[in-house]
């Protein structure tokens, strides 16, 4: 009898220990699975931000002087990123357009940008990927060098920049990455006959004979081969204040490689609530092939031409929708 009780007790203890071990193993396996799912989220991740900023000033018998003005500026940032196994595919589309009317002047463009980027990567080791990138930039509407509002200095696809690159992409997380390419081709497109004939944006200008007759049209395309670097940084500066910085550097191997083309964009978003925010956007550009006309004497006559650093800043407060 005692032997029977001993066997029953021993069996119960064994089952209890076995059940405890299985439960611990199950919990540990479940924990690992949750971590694994968190670290290896695959498939598409899409979203974007739309911001619309409106400003209006109305003056009536205002002793201090000034002009009535109205301005509207819209910014859209979209992304669609895909990840599966060791492969990644990142796509972004940035659109911006702004208009302003001041006093008796007509509507004037204050912002105009189309920027599409697609990058595919295959993991090489750790946070490094073999990658290929395509970038296309242009504008939507004609541009003028105000106060001259009759002569176009830019247009849709004039200029446009198409860039293709193969290199390595360093991507430690979703908030920072650096793409480095020693093999890059950049094509400048000037799809406007008058601008192409003038040699705008670095294309070969038209040729004329001694009588001033055009004997050869200006080229609408210019290809360059060189090295390229693109970096992206996203950071939370403070609570409800986010920074996004994009920097593009390009060096033409065959034509003064020391003259590096720069395109640096910074966006600071200050969130007031779910729908209202303030944005500060800056864009710094330097391209040695682009001549800028400047009125140095202030007499309304452009008397200086040459490459210069371009800078734009847009401050807006308005509606923001994130999806």
């Amino acid at each position: 009898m005692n032997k029977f009780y001993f066997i029953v007790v021993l069996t119960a203890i064994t089952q209890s220990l076995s059940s405890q071990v299985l439960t611990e193993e199950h919990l540990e396996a479940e924990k690992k699975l949750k971590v694994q799912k968190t670290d290896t989220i695959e498939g598409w991740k899409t979203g974007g931000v739309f911001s619309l900023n409106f400003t209006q000033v109305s003056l009536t018998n205002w002793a201090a002087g000034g002009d009535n003005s109205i301005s509207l500026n819209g910014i859209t940032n979209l992304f669609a990123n895909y990840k599966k196994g060791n492969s990644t595919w990142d796509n972004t589309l940035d659109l911006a357009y702004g208009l302003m009317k001041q006093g008796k002047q007509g509507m004037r463009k204050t912002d105009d940008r189309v920027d599409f980027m697609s990058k595919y990567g295959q993991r090489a080791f750790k946070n490094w990927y073999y990658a290929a990138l395509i970038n296309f930039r242009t504008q939507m509407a004609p541009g003028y060098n105000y106060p001259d509002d009759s002569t176009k200095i830019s247009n849709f696809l004039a200029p446009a920049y198409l860039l293709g690159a193969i290199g390595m992409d360093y991507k430690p997380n979703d908030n920072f990455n650096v793409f480095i390419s020693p093999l890059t081709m950049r094509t400048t497109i000037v799809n406007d006959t008058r601008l192409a004939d003038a040699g705008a944006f670095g294309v070969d200008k038209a040729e004329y004979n001694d009588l001033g007759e055009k004997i050869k049209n200006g080229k609408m395309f210019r290809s360059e081969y060189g090295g390229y670097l693109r970096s992206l940084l996203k950071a939370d500066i403070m609570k409800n204040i986010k920074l996004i910085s994009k920097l593009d550097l390009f060096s033409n191997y065959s034509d003064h490689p020391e003259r590096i083309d720069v395109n640096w964009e910074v966006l600071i978003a200050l969130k007031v609530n779910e729908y209202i925010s303030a944005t500060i956007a800056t864009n710094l550009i330097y391209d040695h092939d682009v001549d800028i006309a400047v009125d140095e004497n202030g007499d309304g006559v452009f008397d200086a031409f040459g490459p210069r650093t371009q800078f734009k800043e847009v401050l807006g407060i308005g509606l923001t929708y994130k999806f």
Side-chain angles (χ1 to χ4, degrees):
M1 193 69 173
N2 291 335
K3 186 176 181 180
F4 173 75
Y5 284 126
F6 175 76
I7 293 173
V8 171
V9 172
L10 182 61
T11 302
I13 293 175
T14 302
Q15 289 180 346
S16 177
L17 291 175
S18 176
S19 175
Q20 184 176 354
V21 171
L22 289 173
T23 301
E24 291 177 354
E25 289 180 351
H26 176 74
L27 291 174
E28 186 66 24
E30 189 178 43
K31 183 179 179 181
K32 288 182 179 180
L33 184 61
K34 287 182 179 180
V35 173
Q36 186 177 4
K37 283 185 177 181
T38 303
D39 293 340
T40 60
I41 297 176
E42 296 188 342
W44 284 99
K45 183 178 181 181
T46 61
V49 175
F50 174 73
S51 177
L52 185 64
N53 303 312
F54 176 78
T55 304
Q56 190 252 344
V57 176
S58 178
L59 304 174
T60 303
N61 300 324
W62 192 250
D67 279 334
N68 298 334
S69 67
I70 183 172
S71 64
L72 185 67
N73 189 77
I75 299 175
T76 300
N77 305 108
L78 306 174
F79 71 89
N81 300 332
Y82 180 77
K83 181 177 181 181
K84 184 174 183 179
N86 292 323
S87 300
T88 62
W89 185 19
D90 299 336
N91 301 275
T92 61
L93 176 62
D94 297 336
L95 304 173
Y97 195 77
L99 290 170
M100 179 184 72
K101 178 175 172 53
Q102 185 172 6
K104 296 181 180 180
Q105 299 173 349
M107 279 287 186
R108 294 184 174 184
K109 184 174 68 170
T110 57
D111 198 6
D112 190 357
R113 184 175 74 254
V114 178
D115 190 340
F116 171 74
M117 189 277 298
S118 182
K119 179 176 63 178
Y120 176 80
Q122 187 71 28
R123 188 188 299 273
F125 53 90
K126 291 186 178 180
N127 298 319
W128 287 90
Y129 293 78
Y130 303 113
L133 177 147
I134 294 177
N135 179 229
F136 178 76
R137 292 187 292 117
T138 188
Q139 62 186 43
M140 292 175 264
Y144 303 89
N145 200 352
Y146 299 112
D148 180 3
D149 57 0
S150 59
T151 304
K152 296 178 183 178
I153 60 172
S154 64
N155 208 341
F156 176 64
L157 295 179
Y161 300 96
L162 178 62
L163 182 144
I166 298 175
M168 298 292 293
D169 190 28
Y170 176 66
K171 194 174 181 180
N173 52 59
D174 291 338
N175 295 322
F176 177 73
N177 72 78
V178 178
F179 175 79
I180 304 172
S181 170
L183 300 173
T184 304
M185 183 182 79
R186 186 178 72 168
T187 300
T188 302
I189 304 169
V190 182
N191 190 34
D192 184 290
T193 302
R194 190 188 63 80
L195 293 174
D197 287 346
F201 307 104
V203 299
D204 293 339
K205 59 184 179 181
E207 296 180 6
Y208 299 86
N209 59 22
D210 295 337
L211 299 176
E213 299 171 337
K214 185 168 64 173
I215 58 176
K216 185 179 180 180
N217 292 329
K219 291 188 176 180
M220 293 186 174
F221 300 91
R222 178 176 184 244
S223 295
E224 301 172 84
Y225 302 89
Y228 174 71
L229 181 145
R230 179 185 180 96
S231 68
L232 172 65
L233 171 66
K234 300 178 183 178
D236 293 324
I237 302 176
M238 298 175 62
K239 184 179 179 181
N240 294 333
I241 301 179
K242 190 165 186 175
L243 167 72
I244 301 176
S245 174
K246 294 192 298 182
L247 175 64
D248 287 24
L249 304 175
F250 177 78
S251 173
N252 185 352
Y253 290 150
S254 61
D255 185 15
H256 295 283
E258 75 279 3
R259 297 173 180 171
I260 298 176
D261 296 340
V262 180
N263 188 351
W264 184 21
E265 300 177 28
V266 176
L267 176 65
I268 299 176
L270 300 86
K271 184 177 180 181
V272 179
N273 56 37
E274 186 176 359
Y275 296 108
I276 299 177
S277 69
T279 58
I280 303 173
T282 65
N283 190 188
L284 185 147
I285 298 176
Y286 179 81
D287 189 336
H288 195 81
D289 298 316
V290 178
D291 291 334
I292 307 296
V294 179
D295 176 15
E296 291 188 338
N297 298 323
D299 55 4
V301 178
F302 297 120
D303 45 23
F305 300 86
R308 298 174 184 272
T309 299
Q310 307 169 56
F311 183 77
K312 178 176 66 177
E313 180 264 334
V314 179
L315 169 64
I317 300 175
L319 300 176
T320 299
Y321 178 66
K322 184 178 180 181
F323 56 91

